[in-house]
Amino acid sequence: MSADPILAADVAAAPPTAIELVSVNKWYGDFHVLRDINLTVKRGERIVVCGPSGSGKSTTIRCINRLEEHQRGQIIVDGIELTNDLKRIDEVRREVGMVFQHFNLFPHLTILENCILAPTWVRKMPRKEAEDLAMHFLTKVKIPEQAGKYPGQLSGGQQQRVAIARALCMRPRIMLFDEPTSALDPEMVKEVLETMVSLAEDGMTMLCVTHEMGFARQVADRVIFMDAGQIIEMNEPNAFFSNPQHERTKLFLSQILH
Amino acid sequence: MDVSAPPAGKPSGYVSSAMLQQQPPPVSTTGPIAWARAHLVGSVGQVLLTLFGLWVAYVVIPPVVRFFFIDAVFTGTNRDACLPEKVGRDVGACWPFIWAKWNQIIYGFYPEPERWRVNLVYALGVVLLVPLMIQKVPGKRLNALAFFGIYPVVAFVLLTGGDLGLRGFLLSRLGLGGVFTNIGQAIGLRSGFWPDYVVSALLISAIVAAVAPVFAGNRRTAGKGMLVVFAVLGVVLAAVDIPFGLTSVRTDLWGGMLVTLVIAVTGITASLPLGILLALGRRSQMPLVSIASTAFIEFWRGVPLITVLFFATYMLPLFLPGGVSIDKLLLALVGVALFASAYMAEVVRGGLQAIPKGQYEGAAALGLPGGLMMRLVVMPQALKLVIPGIVNNFIGLFKDTTLVLIVAIFDLLGALRAAFADASWATPTTVVTGFGFAGLFYFVFCFGMSRYSMALERRLDRNHRH
């Protein structure tokens, strides 16, 4: 597929370092859920995060758009450091798109309305322009014909593709994916993954929590393995899969790769 | 086809050889006969219940129809028309009583030459409300502004006569009354109110703009916003202050359906927005807001409406400084509105609790700030979920308006009871007829609200099935 001109232009305008996590620590009550996370993501880089449940991988990416608050360390997204300042948080969220496991589409709005809500209210884009942009991205995820329907009338795979289009309508420079295919029927996983691959081909900076190892091999620049709240191993995909170093990584890979 | 046991000597696998076509269902599962079988005579218990239902209908319906229609009297000028001795037969409902007292039931003691004003308010209300309730009619925004913003002011002026003769605003209370009165008279005004208002508005807006940065606000927008608020308030105050030449009608002359509708409509339209604010307040992260909202809700839910009305009308004046008197109907209106909003708050809170966390996160991840998130994503879904509860409250409120009788405000039921005292209409069936009519009145309104809400629910449901 040829590169999307809108996405390519947005990514080119972004600063060279997309995300920087420096010694990030987080606690849920007494539970130390993130332990000294250090990670630098460059513009255009695609990173896949995997690990057993409860390892802190979702929490990590949810900290990047402040859906979760970190207690110690620094998170700098697109040159903006996340603090308690609400203005900065909103600023970061405008630049960072997120796709959730359970889609989180707004059931009371049509697909098109879902897509233009944030651009018109947050970016103050004229409605016509927002609709054109939404149709552009709905076409990109291959469901422009569903624009007038409500989320409840779509299949899971279609809903997730709408969720991706909705996030893209804010013209984000970074996309976060939190287990985007885990809630889907097996037949629908592929269509969502294809959409994500095409995004990667456009040069989008992506941070993706997933267990789709085929996807990781195909598009990831780096694969991160987390366990017990810390980064255990990080490597480029070929080395990660063929030659894991840590015992925990070897065990994990032997469980999920058949 | 038989798939239970594979024939001997053949492999046990099975491959479908053709896609089966859809066939029509058996006759016994569709149509009226099937319906009757499923719902009326499906089992012995159902048969018994069906028979019991028929018996109840037989016992109740014919006597009611007989009383209100067959044996009823429809014409006459006084009690003689409805007395069995004079008519020479059993007499059911005495409808001429209702016709004779019609004006009293509709307007109370509202002076006769001024009743066109009440009619105009009724008519305006219908003209504005009906298109608002029909989805297909365009211009909802303008229509809503007219009904919720302009109509109340117009209705107030029409019903009371307006011309309040406002004396002083804030600064006059602080001892500057004389100065403003002089200014007012110098430019040909009746009092110092408007000079005071303008100066106060400018002063307060300036103060708000000055302290805005402390609360992380923008000076310009805060000051401008405050000026807009004062401008709108000024227009409203001007409307009720300007003498339009209408005769003033004191609220203790209002009565009947007029009072019932004024209280019900005010309560209904005030309780929903207030309830939403209280529900949001109760869920607020800020302890002060949350505690204040909770205390308010629990207080108003904890006291009976009768106590509220009684206290407001008879006890409150004792605590006010001498010479200050507040209109009785106004007190009742405020009491009913606050009372209803406390109940509404809990209904709305129930709806808010049913919205999954993912909706908040989805909105937050798109960069929608808290206020917009609530307004565009959470509240529309929460309110849709609790439509049955909201309408339940509306209906309860509509009927609770009859309690104002306790503080000598004559609503529909009060006007009716006053009419019962008229000796020239004393017949054995007068009271039953009157209450029958009142029952019909309340039923029509409540049933209407109920049906409308059900239609609304169906419409919204069609839109977003989960």
Side-chain angles (χ1 to χ4, degrees):
Chain A
M1 176 186 275
S2 61
D4 186 298
I6 297 179
L7 291 183
D10 286 351
V11 173
T17 304
I19 305 169
E20 206 172 356
L21 278 69
V22 184
S23 300
V24 171
N25 281 275
K26 175 174 176 59
W27 287 262
Y28 283 134
D30 288 336
F31 180 55
H32 198 172
V33 55
L34 291 185
R35 307 178 188 181
D36 203 33
I37 305 286
N38 285 287
L39 174 66
T40 305
V41 181
K42 294 198 291 287
R43 175 177 70 200
E45 211 177 1
R46 275 90 62 167
I47 292 184
V48 163
V49 186
C50 59
S53 58
S55 59
K57 52 194 190 310
S58 281
T59 310
T60 306
I61 72 162
R62 288 161 59 86
C63 279
I64 291 169
N65 66 352
R66 196 69 171 195
L67 288 183
E68 304 278 355
E69 195 179 322
H70 63 288
Q71 276 94 39
R72 202 180 290 163
Q74 266 186 314
I75 300 180
I76 301 160
V77 183
D78 208 42
I80 306 162
E81 185 179 356
L82 280 168
T83 59
N84 281 326
D85 186 348
L86 287 178
K87 263 188 194 159
R88 284 201 205 175
I89 294 173
D90 283 337
E91 223 171 300
V92 165
R93 284 174 176 168
R94 282 199 292 271
E95 303 303 333
V96 178
M98 186 162 197
V99 176
F100 300 85
Q101 181 177 356
H102 295 289
F103 331 134
N104 296 352
L105 295 177
F106 308 134
H108 62 300
L109 301 176
T110 62
I111 301 308
L112 190 65
E113 287 165 347
N114 262 278
C115 290
I116 66 170
L117 185 78
T120 48
W121 286 93
V122 180
R123 290 241 192 260
K124 313 278 182 214
M125 199 183 279
R127 192 183 163 96
K128 182 76 187 59
E129 194 181 319
E131 281 179 358
D132 290 346
L133 189 67
M135 288 314 293
H136 172 84
F137 285 121
L138 284 174
T139 309
K140 182 176 175 58
V141 301
K142 303 200 182 97
I143 37 175
E145 72 283 358
Q146 310 284 5
K149 289 194 183 166
Y150 286 86
Q153 296 167 300
L154 268 54
S155 73
Q158 291 174 323
Q159 290 194 44
Q160 193 60 297
R161 284 185 282 153
V162 171
I164 294 172
R166 180 177 75 174
L168 291 177
C169 284
M170 281 296 282
R171 314 263 307 257
R173 292 166 163 181
I174 300 162
M175 283 288 285
L176 306 174
F177 294 84
D178 189 1
E179 306 209 27
T181 56
S182 301
L184 297 176
D185 290 340
E187 281 186 309
M188 295 166 180
V189 170
K190 191 164 159 268
E191 60 189 55
V192 171
L193 287 180
E194 276 171 0
T195 308
M196 291 166 63
V197 169
S198 101
L199 258 188
E201 284 165 355
D202 291 330
M204 176 60 76
T205 311
M206 291 165 69
L207 199 58
C208 187
V209 173
T210 182
H211 293 128
E212 294 296 334
M213 292 302 137
F215 172 78
R217 273 184 214 271
Q218 191 184 344
V219 305
D221 296 309
R222 275 186 290 167
V223 180
I224 292 174
F225 175 69
M226 287 184 74
D227 188 27
Q230 51 187 341
I231 294 178
I232 302 284
E233 196 163 340
M234 170 156 54
N235 213 334
E236 53 93 21
N238 269 333
F240 180 85
F241 289 112
S242 58
N243 190 18
Q245 301 297 309
H246 198 283
E247 282 309 311
R248 187 67 189 84
T249 319
K250 288 178 189 167
L251 179 67
F252 178 77
L253 288 176
S254 73
Q255 304 276 10
I256 64 163
L257 298 176
H258 311 290
Chain B
M1 75 213 82
D2 182 18
V3 293
S4 55
K10 289 205 174 170
S12 61
Y14 166 76
V15 178
S16 162
S17 56
M19 294 304 278
L20 302 177
Q21 294 300 309
Q22 176 169 304
Q23 295 182 347
V27 184
S28 60
T29 60
T30 54
I33 297 169
W35 184 87
R37 200 154 73 179
H39 296 98
L40 298 177
V41 290
S43 66
V44 177
Q46 265 190 355
V47 171
L48 289 177
L49 277 176
T50 303
L51 290 175
F52 178 72
L54 288 174
W55 178 76
V56 169
Y58 171 75
V59 169
V60 174
I61 295 174
V64 169
V65 172
R66 171 172 283 273
F67 181 86
F68 283 106
F69 299 102
I70 298 171
D71 285 350
V73 174
F74 289 93
T75 51
T77 47
N78 58 36
R79 68 196 288 256
D80 290 347
C82 300
L83 287 174
E85 314 80 281
K86 305 259 168 153
V87 182
R89 64 173 172 93
D90 273 355
V91 171
C94 181
W95 293 115
F97 163 71
I98 301 291
W99 319 147
K101 301 294 180 187
W102 185 255
N103 282 336
Q104 196 179 334
I105 292 171
I106 301 294
Y107 305 102
F109 300 106
Y110 207 90
E112 217 165 333
E114 306 297 330
R115 282 181 186 164
W116 63 272
R117 283 152 55 177
V118 180
N119 292 337
L120 187 56
V121 168
Y122 285 155
L124 275 176
V126 171
V127 166
L128 289 173
L129 185 60
V130 169
L132 196 61
M133 286 172 46
I134 300 172
Q135 192 197 11
K136 285 191 189 119
V137 181
K140 282 278 174 289
R141 222 169 246 262
L142 206 66
N143 197 337
L145 177 74
F147 184 75
F148 293 107
I150 300 170
Y151 179 62
V153 181
V154 173
F156 178 86
V157 171
L158 275 173
L159 291 177
T160 61
D163 190 11
L164 290 187
L166 298 169
R167 294 275 185 69
F169 196 58
L170 291 180
L171 295 172
S172 301
R173 314 250 145 122
L174 303 173
L176 292 168
V179 182
F180 286 115
T181 310
N182 289 338
I183 298 174
Q185 276 163 355
I187 52 177
L189 292 171
R190 288 190 293 174
S191 71
F193 178 84
W194 289 105
D196 183 358
Y197 185 83
V198 171
V199 175
S200 300
L202 291 174
L203 211 61
I204 292 174
S205 301
I207 293 172
V208 167
V211 299
V214 180
F215 300 97
N218 180 305
R219 234 176 220 151
R220 264 188 106 82
T221 41
K224 254 192 204 161
M226 212 58 216
L227 280 178
V228 170
V229 169
F230 273 111
V232 172
L233 183 67
V235 172
V236 172
L237 288 174
V240 299
D241 186 45
I242 293 171
F244 287 103
L246 293 170
T247 316
S248 165
V249 180
R250 295 197 327 272
T251 59
D252 49 5
L253 294 176
W254 302 16
M257 186 170 93
L258 172 63
V259 160
T260 296
L261 289 181
V262 163
I263 297 176
V265 172
T266 310
I268 284 172
T269 45
S271 68
L272 189 57
L274 278 177
I276 290 173
L277 287 181
L278 284 169
L280 289 175
R282 188 165 187 169
R283 285 165 58 94
S284 166
Q285 307 267 328
M286 288 178 278
L288 199 68
V289 176
S290 159
I291 291 172
S293 305
T294 308
F296 183 92
I297 292 168
E298 295 303 339
F299 172 79
W300 287 95
R301 284 204 307 170
V303 291
L305 182 53
I306 289 189
T307 318
V308 172
L309 294 173
F310 200 80
F311 187 90
T313 311
Y314 297 120
M315 305 293 283
L316 198 60
L318 300 180
F319 297 108
L320 290 173
V324 177
S325 77
I326 305 179
D327 187 86
K328 201 162 66 174
L329 184 66
L330 179 67
L331 285 176
L333 280 176
V334 172
V336 167
L338 294 182
F339 188 82
S341 62
Y343 278 87
M344 195 57 77
E346 288 299 277
V347 172
V348 173
R349 192 167 68 93
L352 287 174
Q353 269 165 348
I355 303 303
K357 209 173 131 211
Q359 292 292 310
Y360 292 87
E361 290 182 347
L366 286 168
L368 285 173
L372 281 180
M373 180 197 297
M374 276 295 164
R375 188 172 126 205
L376 300 171
V377 174
V378 178
M379 219 27 111
Q381 296 184 60
L383 290 181
K384 184 226 143 190
L385 279 174
V386 294
I387 287 175
I390 291 174
V391 174
N392 214 10
N393 274 15
F394 285 173
I395 289 175
L397 171 65
F398 192 85
K399 293 185 296 182
D400 278 352
T401 55
T402 52
L403 290 174
V404 297
L405 198 59
I406 201 92
V407 290
I409 296 173
F410 289 92
D411 72 329
L412 183 97
L413 215 52
L416 209 56
R417 290 186 43 160
F420 291 157
D422 184 351
S424 67
W425 281 101
T427 77
T429 58
T430 301
V431 172
V432 184
T433 308
F435 281 126
F437 173 79
L440 185 70
F441 168 84
Y442 285 101
F443 182 80
V444 165
F445 276 89
C446 294
F447 189 65
M449 282 192 267
S450 167
R451 298 309 295 190
Y452 179 71
S453 85
M454 282 164 75
L456 189 67
E457 262 182 88
R458 269 199 304 279
R459 192 174 83 207
L460 294 174
D461 224 41
R462 212 174 34 242
N463 283 355
H464 43 108
R465 281 170 289 164
H466 286 271

